[in-house]
Amino acid sequence: MALKGNLRDFSTTQLLNLINLARKTGTLTIDAKRERSRLCFKEGRLIYATSDDDGGHLAMMLQRSGKLTEEQARAIQSRTDIKSDKELGLLLMNAGYVSQDDIVRSVQSYILNSVYPLFTWVDGKFRFEASVLPFEDRITIPINLENVIMEGSRRMQEWEHLLDYLPDLDIALRFVERPSVRMRDINMSVEEWRVVSFINPRNTVRQIAQYNNMSEFQIRKIVYALLQAGLVELTRPAGVKPAPGAPGKAPVTMRPPAVKRGVVERLISFFQQRS
Amino acid sequence: MQTVKIVVTGPFSAGKTQFIQSISEIDVVATERKISRAEERVKDQTTVAMDFGRISVADDLVLYLFGTPGQRRFDFMWEILAEGMLGFVVLLDSVKPETFREARSILDTFRAYAPVPYVVAANKQDLEDAWAPEDLRIALRIPSEIKVLPCVATDRENVQQVLLELLFSVLEIMDAEG
């Protein structure tokens, strides 16, 4: 049986919940506007995840977790004699570059970081293919979906909060003339500095995100922090759209009909005879 | 003359009219109109008031099937149709996940109208992209004690089986209540 649809109608949380409860084995592919993610499951547990952007190779995972440098990762990926991630893992362990624990943690972290952003996706076609599993050369780590769903839902709430706070990305930022905090007490991350460098009434928040190759979640989080710190302000008020359609009238509770058991039995007997 | 009423409800284009047509002994009194909204033009006509089918069980017993209009703007009819029903069938379009949320909402509304037994029929199971009934149960958060039945509304036997399962559920509840 196919499991196809769109995240507009069936969210990532609902999908993962379904896969968990039905203990499904297979691969879930989600296609959004510019991204494609693949999640693999075995008996309801997440075992692998990747997106088309990065290919999901072990060298890249170890680089992201700081176990390999960019040069080392690039050198490894350019080697053609290493056939699989499993082979590469053994090679690196034998050479003393990483431990088994480093590999497990890096792969797990990569999988989770590939999955969590999906909770904020509100549009994208999905398809679950039963019994299709990742290539054998990939390292898989079984992860309980309950915890993933809980953390994903928490991030979703955070996302919704950010969305409420900053519903429109097509607005600009400007520095406040008299900040209420002392500038020297503020510590900003590299990402925040990158955003700050683009703050100008001519640049919309969306454009700043594009210049810095940031997701909507990332830019909203940073702008939220800057607004909260009182460093910047929106150049025009964010218009929040009213909630769609007022709910209909409340349903009325009625009494069930007074039908005798004998009537129901006659109906059953009638249909059974016709079958 | 004893009359018994069963309501067939579900989202737009779930197959309610077809469901009743497959089993009714009379031509279904369908109150259909041409679709006017572009987004709903997946079929030529839709039910705007109700569908009405009849099954004569005996000289003194008749079963009426009422199909609700699927479009939300006709939901004022639901309450009228729900009055006095023995139970209801929630028909799902198993190949249209975009209608599942609406189906859940309709189910909740009818549950609030009358605490009568109901079954969920997963229609269009003959199509390749149909979601399996057990997946639909999870997707729509249908409790384990409620039956989620595979269904092909064009198949009379199949429709009959859905109605039978609903009647069994009615009996079970009667037994439970003593």
Side-chain angles (χ1 to χ4, degrees), chain A residues 1-5 8-10 18 24 251-254 256-257 259 261 266-268 270-272 274-275, chain B residues 55 57-58 60 79 84-85 97-98 101 112-113 115 125 129-131 135 138-139 156 160 167-168 171 174-175:
Chain A
M1 283 284 184
L3 209 60
K4 281 166 64 176
R8 283 196 306 266
D9 313 306
F10 205 67
L18 170 63
K24 285 186 177 293
V252 181
T253 304
M254 292 185 289
V259 175
R261 185 190 168 88
R266 285 177 69 193
L267 287 167
I268 289 172
F270 170 78
F271 280 121
Q272 283 177 329
R274 284 200 351 169
S275 294
Chain B
I55 301 164
V57 177
D60 62 339
E79 193 178 330
M85 62 185 171
E98 62 268 32
R101 198 174 297 145
Y113 284 150
Q125 286 292 307
D129 288 342
W131 284 43
D135 289 341
I138 296 170
R156 185 167 172 268
Q160 202 158 277
L167 292 167
F168 285 135
L171 263 193
M174 282 179 162
D175 288 345

Side-chain angles (χ1 to χ4, degrees), chain A residues 74-237:
Chain A
R74 203 179 305 127
I76 289 168
Q77 281 180 304
S78 66
R79 283 180 60 171
T80 53
D81 56 326
I82 302 171
K83 298 279 188 289
S84 72
D85 277 359
K86 287 175 185 170
E87 189 184 334
L88 172 63
L90 280 172
L91 209 69
L92 291 172
M93 280 196 297
N94 290 337
Y97 281 105
V98 292
S99 65
Q100 186 176 354
D101 194 46
D102 289 337
I103 291 175
V104 170
R105 283 173 190 273
S106 299
V107 174
Q108 190 170 23
S109 166
Y110 172 80
I111 292 172
L112 291 173
N113 287 326
S114 300
V115 173
Y116 288 140
L118 301 180
F119 283 86
T120 62
W121 288 15
V122 291
D123 197 351
K125 289 180 180 174
F126 65 80
R127 180 181 184 86
F128 183 84
E129 290 165 285
S131 302
V132 175
L133 287 171
F135 298 119
E136 278 194 8
D137 65 326
R138 297 298 160 94
I139 296 170
T140 58
I141 308 280
I143 301 169
N144 275 335
L145 270 179
E146 284 96 344
N147 295 336
V148 177
I149 293 167
M150 278 174 65
E151 175 59 17
S153 300
R154 191 196 64 73
R155 292 189 185 206
M156 186 69 199
Q157 282 176 357
E158 189 183 8
W159 164 251
E160 283 168 356
H161 174 69
L162 291 171
L163 209 57
D164 283 344
Y165 193 81
L166 190 66
D168 184 8
L169 290 185
D170 294 315
I171 53 165
L173 299 169
R174 68 177 173 209
F175 292 106
V176 294
E177 287 181 12
R178 289 179 188 166
S180 56
V181 287
R182 287 160 63 191
M183 286 297 189
R184 64 180 173 191
D185 291 340
I186 294 175
N187 293 309
M188 285 199 287
S189 66
V190 176
E191 283 73 24
E192 285 168 334
W193 275 117
R194 281 164 60 196
V195 170
V196 163
S197 66
F198 282 96
I199 288 179
N200 182 314
R202 283 172 306 189
N203 290 336
T204 66
V205 175
R206 191 183 303 282
Q207 285 168 329
I208 296 173
Q210 283 164 358
Y211 298 146
N212 288 299
N213 201 20
M214 287 176 174
S215 67
E216 287 195 10
F217 182 73
Q218 286 172 304
I219 191 73
R220 277 196 162 90
K221 210 169 172 179
I222 290 171
V223 171
Y224 176 79
L226 295 174
L227 287 166
Q228 287 292 305
L231 286 177
V232 298
E233 59 188 11
L234 303 172
T235 57
R236 62 183 169 83

